[in-house]
Amino acid sequence: MVDYDAAVAAVQDPNADPILLAKIAYENPEFGANVAVNPRCYPGLKRWIAEFGDERARETLAQYGFTAEAFGGPVQDQEAPSQAALQAAEQQPADAYAADQYAAAQPAADQYAAQQPAAQAAFEEPVATNPYGFTAEQALTTTDQMQIAQIAQYAPELRACIARNPNTYPALIEWLGQLGDPAINAALAFRQ
């Protein structure tokens, strides 16, 4: 738990660690408005505050044009299956349902595989120079959202790699696109 004095100092620091800001917003909702206006508050955290923060935090974000609706509505659970999928699963035998899911995913997987040789030839893996030990391989393949955020913050030389990682969350992709870095922009173009 972040103590009160440390939280006050962090929300006032324009170079605050974005992960610390997220921890403060989660553990101390009364700091939500202060976290939201900090320049290091990333879009995904603003979205979370716009939806789950206290009234003062939501009002502060609304003054800047950030509302839960502006971010596309309430945060959806990406892991939870839709109601239609659950009903379909109940009506079909398990093997038939799994075969349908595999068949539905196969064209996208084939398209991804077809793009890989050309894309790999065009992408030159950067040399990791960060003191935290993050590697290009981690940045390209990790599924841990917290680790992706840490790489974005502490290993700027690997941002092009996390832009290519299919597990990078949309708010971070949006932020990377705003940086104007040619290598990152090329990696983002690969995603589309």
Side-chain angles (χ1 to χ4, degrees), residues 86-121:
L86 289 174
Q87 289 173 350
E90 290 172 1
Q91 294 172 356
Q92 292 181 348
D95 292 342
Y97 181 70
D100 288 349
Q101 293 299 323
Y102 177 79
Q106 200 56 38
D110 291 343
Q111 180 184 8
Y112 179 77
Q115 291 174 344
Q116 287 306 300
Q120 292 298 341

Side-chain angles (χ1 to χ4, degrees), residues 122-146:
F123 179 70
E124 190 172 319
E125 204 170 278
V127 176
T129 58
N130 65 84
Y132 302 98
F134 293 121
T135 65
E137 180 66 24
Q138 281 178 311
L140 286 165
T141 60
T142 185
T143 59
D144 183 345
Q145 298 300 309
M146 187 62 77

